[in-house]
Amino acid sequence: MEPVFTVLVFSSVVVAFVIFNYAKLKHHMSSTFLSGEDIILTDTIERKNENRRLHLPTVRQRKSTNLPSGRIGLVPSVLPVQEKVVPLSVNYHFTRKCNYQCGFCFHTAKTSFVLPLEDAKRGLSLLKDAGMEKINFSGGEPFIVKRGAFVGELVRFCKESLQLPSVTIVSNGSLVTENWFKTYGAYLDILAVSCDSFDPDTNEKIGRQQGQKNHLSSLRSVRRLCAEYQVAFKLNSVVNTYNKDENMVEEVKQLNPCRWKVFQCLLIDGENAGADAIRNAQTFVISDEEFQSFLERHRDVECLVPESNEKMQNSYLILDEYMRFLDCTKGSKQPSKSLLDVGVDNALLFSGFDERMFFKRGGQYVWSKADMRLEW
Ligand code: SF4
C-alpha cells in the first residue's frame, strides 16, 4: 500500500502544480498588460517585476521572434511603456463662447475657434477606436454654435455612426428649443442643465443669466422637453459664496433629475484666477467646511453626487476646442498637442488624467438612457 500511497500523493502534487500554473498563465494572458521583466518558458510567463508594464502585443511579438524552445532564461525588457489610459469618458468643450457671464466660469471665451464639423467627427472616431464609450459635449454654451445644429450633428453622429453607449450635453439651457429636440432628441442620452440657485436675484449676482431672460424659466422648459422627448435630465450646481446657505431640496425634488452633480467652486489659473484670466472667481470660493455644510443640508436628495475640488480637478478628460487634452494638475490648463495631429494615445500622455480618481468619484455610472428606468 505504501508505494501506491506515495505515487498517489506525488501525482496529486504534480496535477495541482500543473493546474495552478495553467490558471496563472490564463489569468496572465487575459490581462491587458504584462509586467516588466518576464521569463518566457515554452508555455509559461512569470511576473518578475511589478513596477514596469508592457503592452501584451509587445510581449507576443517577442514570443514570436524564433526563440528556442525550453527554458530560455531572462529576456531583457524593452522600453518601459506607461500604463495605457483608456479614454472611457471624454468631455469635449468644442466652443468657449457663451451667452452667460458666470463669475466663476472655468472655461472662458479665450478664443472663438470651433473645429470644422468633419474634423470634429474625425477626432471623435479616433476616440471611439481608442475605447471611448461616453462623450459629453460642453462649452462655453454648446447650443450657441449654429443655433444648436453643430452639437446636434455631433450628437447624431456619435449615436448613429459611432454607436456610443452614452452621448450627453451640458448646457445652461437658455438656447435649447423644441425643434432641436424634434430633430436630435432621439440620439441624446442625457441633457444636463446648470443651475446654482432657485432665487432669481442669486442667479443675477452669479451671472447665470442673459439680460433679463429668466434662467429658471429656461431650466423648467428644458425639463419639460426632456420628459416629452425622452431624454434623461440632469442638474449641475456650483456651490459658491452666493448660494452656499440656500436650501434647494424641494425644487430639486420637483425637477427630479436622474443625477444632481454638486461641485465646489474651483479656481483655475488662466481661466478664473490670475493675471491672464477673463474672470476672477476669488470672491466666489468657499471653504471645504462650507461645502460640507451644503451637502449635509441636502443629504435627503438621493440623486446628489458631490464633487469637491480634490475629486474634480484631475478626474476629467477634457478636450478643448482644438481637440487638445487639458492637464489641470498644476492648477492651470496645460494643453497637449491636438489628437488630430498626434493621435489619441500620444495626446493622452499629456492629459494629467487621474483614472483612479475618475472611478473613485463614480465617473462610470448608468449613462445610457436605454439602461435607465426612468418615468418620463
Ligand atoms: S453658463 Fe456660465 S459657467 Fe457655463 S460656460 Fe457659460 S459663463 Fe461659463
Side-chain angles (χ1 to χ4, degrees):
M1 273 311 278
E2 217 174 85
V4 174
F5 180 72
T6 310
V7 167
L8 272 174
V9 169
F10 182 71
S11 310
S12 309
V13 169
V14 170
V15 169
F17 180 78
V18 169
I19 290 172
F20 174 73
N21 276 293
Y22 178 67
K24 198 170 155 188
L25 174 68
K26 265 195 88 172
H27 168 77
H28 203 52
M29 293 301 287
S30 65
S31 305
T32 313
F33 304 105
L34 295 177
S35 299
E37 293 177 336
D38 308 310
I39 291 175
I40 299 185
L41 310 179
T42 47
D43 58 355
T44 324
I45 300 171
E46 290 175 350
R47 267 183 225 200
K48 279 308 227 185
N49 183 342
E50 291 291 335
N51 297 329
R52 287 184 290 174
R53 293 187 168 206
L54 296 172
H55 294 277
L56 187 57
T58 311
V59 175
R60 281 189 179 139
Q61 228 175 1
R62 287 196 290 150
K63 278 195 80 178
S64 65
T65 52
N66 293 327
L67 294 168
S69 60
R71 190 174 180 112
I72 57 166
L74 197 66
V75 177
S77 282
V78 292
L79 286 176
V81 181
Q82 209 178 339
E83 185 173 355
K84 191 176 171 183
V85 169
V86 176
L88 200 64
S89 173
V90 176
N91 297 276
Y92 176 25
H93 297 245
F94 62 82
T95 179
R96 285 178 168 273
K97 284 171 70 177
C98 187
N99 56 329
Y100 277 18
Q101 300 278 326
C102 308
F104 51 67
C105 181
F106 49 78
H107 204 77
T108 51
K110 298 202 298 192
T111 79
S112 57
F113 182 80
V114 179
L115 274 173
L117 187 64
E118 289 312 309
D119 286 349
K121 286 182 179 176
R122 183 165 69 84
L124 292 164
S125 300
L126 293 173
L127 285 160
K128 161 77 197 275
D129 292 344
M132 178 172 72
E133 290 188 15
K134 178 179 188 283
I135 182 71
N136 178 50
F137 296 108
S138 188
E141 171 46 47
F143 286 83
I144 210 167
V145 182
K146 297 190 190 304
R147 298 182 179 183
F150 187 86
V151 72
E153 288 306 315
L154 292 182
V155 163
R156 183 185 355 227
F157 174 73
C158 285
K159 188 54 86 178
E160 209 172 43
S161 303
L162 300 185
Q163 307 255 306
L164 290 185
S166 184
V167 182
T168 71
I169 300 176
V170 174
S171 161
N172 63 34
S174 62
L175 304 174
V176 185
T177 63
E178 180 157 8
N179 265 340
W180 191 93
F181 271 91
K182 278 185 188 157
T183 315
Y184 301 112
Y187 310 108
L188 184 64
D189 288 281
I190 303 172
L191 178 54
V193 177
S194 309
C195 178
D196 315 311
S197 171
F198 291 97
D199 176 354
D201 290 342
T202 306
N203 284 328
E204 193 174 350
K205 280 179 197 149
I206 290 172
R208 223 358 140 217
Q209 67 179 47
Q210 181 183 16
Q212 290 312 303
K213 193 173 173 187
N214 188 318
H215 179 60
L216 297 173
S217 306
S218 303
L219 172 74
R220 294 195 171 105
S221 157
V222 172
R223 177 66 189 101
R224 182 183 55 77
L225 289 168
C226 280
E228 203 170 317
Y229 290 87
Q230 305 207 332
V231 172
F233 172 78
K234 184 176 162 188
L235 193 65
N236 284 355
S237 301
V238 178
V239 187
N240 62 81
T241 315
Y242 297 99
N243 66 352
K244 66 182 172 62
D245 298 320
E246 190 167 330
N247 187 331
M248 298 166 75
V249 171
E250 283 315 309
E251 287 90 346
V252 173
K253 282 186 175 173
Q254 262 176 25
L255 286 169
N256 192 22
C258 64
R259 206 166 151 87
W260 182 28
K261 267 285 188 76
V262 176
F263 303 96
Q264 182 179 1
C265 183
L266 177 67
L267 289 181
I268 300 273
D269 205 45
E271 296 285 352
N272 61 12
D276 302 340
I278 294 176
R279 299 279 202 282
N280 180 356
Q282 293 288 352
T283 54
F284 287 83
V285 172
I286 56 165
S287 67
D288 291 349
E289 292 71 31
E290 287 170 324
F291 183 59
Q292 285 308 320
S293 156
F294 183 94
L295 297 179
E296 183 59 23
R297 199 177 316 127
H298 296 85
R299 66 179 179 281
D300 289 344
V301 183
E302 283 177 17
C303 60
L304 192 158
V305 180
E307 239 164 72
S308 62
N309 288 350
E310 188 213 352
K311 278 189 187 166
M312 185 182 171
Q313 188 162 348
N314 308 316
S315 67
Y316 285 81
L317 273 174
I318 303 171
L319 275 182
D320 75 357
E321 65 276 22
Y322 301 98
M323 283 201 158
R324 306 179 299 183
F325 285 109
L326 297 178
D327 177 349
C328 301
T329 51
K330 295 191 177 67
S332 61
K333 288 179 171 174
Q334 297 299 319
S336 69
K337 290 205 162 63
S338 173
L339 63 83
L340 294 171
D341 296 329
V342 299
V344 175
D345 286 353
N346 284 327
L348 270 173
L349 293 174
F350 300 90
S351 65
F353 180 53
D354 184 345
E355 195 177 38
R356 198 184 51 81
M357 185 58 93
F358 166 77
F359 287 111
K360 190 175 163 194
R361 70 164 167 82
Q364 190 176 22
Y365 57 99
V366 180
W367 52 32
S368 304
K369 64 179 173 184
D371 297 332
M372 296 178 197
R373 292 203 186 114
L374 292 175
E375 285 167 20
W376 308 100

